[in-house]
Amino acid sequence: MTRRKTIVVTGGAGFLGSHLCERLLDRGHDVICVDNFFTGSKENIRHLLNHDHFELIRHDIVEPLYVECDEIYNLACPASPIHYQENPIKTIKTSTVGMVNMLGLARRVGACLLQASTSEVYGDPEVHPQRETYRGNVSVLSPRACYDEGKRVAETLCMDYHRQNGVDVRIARIFNTYGPRMHPDDGRVVSNFIVQALQKKPLTIYGNGKQTRSFCYVDDLIDGLTRLMVHPKFFGPVNLGNPHEVTVGDLARRIRQFTKSSSRIVYRSLPQDDPQQRCPDIRLARRTLHWEPRVPLERGLQTTIRWFRKRLETSRADSAPRVKKIRRRSEGGSHMSVFKKSAMPTGRGGA
């Protein structure tokens, strides 16, 4: 039987973090979910709040955290351009000051720390597919640099704490991941296309649609993270993603087909420093973690579409006008008056 551990998940109310918390609880561990709710949402973890082995702490890792734990999954950082460019200074502080705080915690309590790094450390790659030995093509002056360079520094800090202080670390370079609980307004291509298709709006492609991405379903990604954490010797960095490329244009057409949408496709200018190709070489993950994605893109997209469809239907129901009965008094006694009152929007927790 697996020993029960106390595991901290920073960014635990986010897209990836909430799925990870769920998986760890299913395996019998105590989970401390830490989130400042900048992009995370209480809706993502509402079903876990009454779990006997789940604890939620509202906290920003830019400030020190004092808890006792065996493992730390550091997922805290906005991961989409719309969110991480909203406050770029805060973004890079999360990956630097926040990283120092989490490594300091790991050192104090003797915990193993897994850093959720990113394929963005490769920038707009000149090598394809990207292997872990590739040093990247990143612009330090780009609007994306607050995220790209922050994650690169975070990896450096992990290795320096490992070499100097003996901290047990793991580094996972995560490629495009999708699935239920994606933020609908994060500007990422899968969520963008699905929401636009379901709302019968034009599907917006930035660039000519020939740029490629690889899409890994969230369940596969979480499996890779947990395998890396428990590996006795290997600390990475290791690519976790789907090695099968899809053009952005093909993705748009598939989603339009799966949603049975009549939305047309429109084209806009490509953002600055947006990579033309992004695809992981996962030979290292296959060899060391015995891991590779299992969920086909078609099945994963259909599951994600069902989740978004339900979410959008719930949002429409919450924002529909409500009928409220008011009891009023008049000279002739009391009578009932019925009128419609527009409901206030029900905002997402921490959005």
Side-chain angles (χ1 to χ4, degrees), residues 179-211:
R181 300 184 204 146
M182 292 184 79
H183 199 299
D185 302 319
D186 68 2
R188 286 190 260 193
V189 65
V190 171
S191 53
N192 263 12
F193 288 163
I194 292 176
V195 171
Q196 288 170 344
L198 292 175
Q199 294 179 337
K200 310 301 183 186
K201 295 179 180 178
L203 274 61
T204 307
I205 292 179
Y206 294 93
N208 60 15
K210 295 181 180 179
Q211 65 269 38

Side-chain angles (χ1 to χ4, degrees), residues 233-249:
K233 298 178 181 178
F234 178 67
F235 53 79
V238 61
N239 292 334
L240 295 179
N242 196 317
H244 301 293
E245 288 180 88
V246 178
T247 68
V248 172

Side-chain angles (χ1 to χ4, degrees), residues 253-271:
R253 288 184 285 273
R254 290 193 195 194
I255 289 175
R256 188 170 61 175
Q257 174 190 349
F258 296 155
T259 56
K260 299 180 180 178
S261 174
S262 58
S263 297
R264 61 192 179 93
I265 296 176
V266 298
Y267 296 85
R268 298 287 184 266
S269 299
L270 194 67

Side-chain angles (χ1 to χ4, degrees), residues 30-83:
D30 292 313
V31 175
I32 302 174
C33 170
V34 178
D35 207 296
N36 68 353
F37 294 102
F38 175 59
T39 58
S41 169
K42 287 183 181 177
E43 288 300 318
N44 289 339
I45 53 169
R46 189 173 299 280
H47 63 298
L48 304 177
L49 292 176
N50 292 325
H51 196 292
D52 290 341
H53 300 287
F54 181 79
E55 181 180 354
L56 172 63
I57 300 176
R58 189 183 190 110
H59 180 83
D60 191 322
I61 66 166
V62 170
E63 303 297 330
L65 177 67
Y66 299 99
V67 295
E68 298 294 322
C69 61
D70 301 295
E71 296 174 354
I72 303 166
Y73 287 84
N74 186 36
L75 276 62
C77 189
S80 74
I82 285 178
H83 292 148

Side-chain angles (χ1 to χ4, degrees), residues 5-274:
K5 299 176 184 176
T6 299
I7 303 176
V8 169
V9 180
T10 70
F15 163 47
L16 295 181
S18 61
H19 285 276
L20 178 59
C21 288
E22 207 169 54
R23 182 75 62 89
L24 296 172
L25 288 169
D26 287 345
R27 293 184 177 180
H29 299 299
D30 292 313
V31 175
I32 302 174
C33 170
V34 178
D35 207 296
N36 68 353
F37 294 102
F38 175 59
T39 58
S41 169
K42 287 183 181 177
E43 288 300 318
N44 289 339
I45 53 169
R46 189 173 299 280
H47 63 298
L48 304 177
L49 292 176
N50 292 325
H51 196 292
D52 290 341
H53 300 287
F54 181 79
E55 181 180 354
L56 172 63
I57 300 176
R58 189 183 190 110
H59 180 83
D60 191 322
I61 66 166
V62 170
E63 303 297 330
L65 177 67
Y66 299 99
V67 295
E68 298 294 322
C69 61
D70 301 295
E71 296 174 354
I72 303 166
Y73 287 84
N74 186 36
L75 276 62
C77 189
S80 74
I82 285 178
H83 292 148
Y84 65 64
Q85 290 174 9
E86 182 176 333
N87 189 338
I89 295 173
K90 182 62 181 294
T91 296
I92 201 165
K93 284 178 70 176
T94 301
S95 291
T96 53
V97 178
M99 186 79 259
V100 169
N101 286 333
M102 290 302 99
L103 286 163
L105 171 62
R107 181 188 180 191
R108 285 194 302 273
V109 302
C112 180
L113 181 145
L114 186 149
Q115 167 60 8
S117 190
T118 173
S119 61
E120 297 289 342
V121 299
Y122 299 123
D124 188 3
E126 297 172 330
V127 172
H128 188 78
Q130 292 82 58
R131 298 185 66 179
E132 291 83 356
T133 52
Y134 177 53
R135 296 182 179 181
N137 177 35
V138 180
S139 168
V140 299
L141 304 180
S142 164
R144 303 171 69 101
C146 60
Y147 182 70
D148 303 356
E149 292 295 337
K151 289 289 190 176
R152 286 162 70 94
V153 171
E155 289 194 17
T156 300
L157 285 166
C158 284
M159 294 311 302
D160 285 341
Y161 267 76
H162 172 70
R163 286 186 288 256
Q164 183 173 323
N165 298 316
V167 175
D168 194 6
V169 297
R170 307 285 188 272
I171 300 171
R173 291 177 178 166
I174 299 172
F175 283 67
N176 292 64
T177 308
Y178 71 100
R181 300 184 204 146
M182 292 184 79
H183 199 299
D185 302 319
D186 68 2
R188 286 190 260 193
V189 65
V190 171
S191 53
N192 263 12
F193 288 163
I194 292 176
V195 171
Q196 288 170 344
L198 292 175
Q199 294 179 337
K200 310 301 183 186
K201 295 179 180 178
L203 274 61
T204 307
I205 292 179
Y206 294 93
N208 60 15
K210 295 181 180 179
Q211 65 269 38
T212 65
R213 295 291 184 271
S214 57
F215 299 99
C216 183
Y217 189 65
V218 61
D219 288 354
D220 285 331
L221 189 279
I222 298 303
D223 182 46
L225 293 178
T226 55
R227 285 176 185 240
L228 175 60
M229 175 63 90
V230 300
H231 196 286
K233 298 178 181 178
F234 178 67
F235 53 79
V238 61
N239 292 334
L240 295 179
N242 196 317
H244 301 293
E245 288 180 88
V246 178
T247 68
V248 172
D250 183 42
L251 178 71
R253 288 184 285 273
R254 290 193 195 194
I255 289 175
R256 188 170 61 175
Q257 174 190 349
F258 296 155
T259 56
K260 299 180 180 178
S261 174
S262 58
S263 297
R264 61 192 179 93
I265 296 176
V266 298
Y267 296 85
R268 298 287 184 266
S269 299
L270 194 67
Q272 181 181 342
D273 295 319
D274 196 64

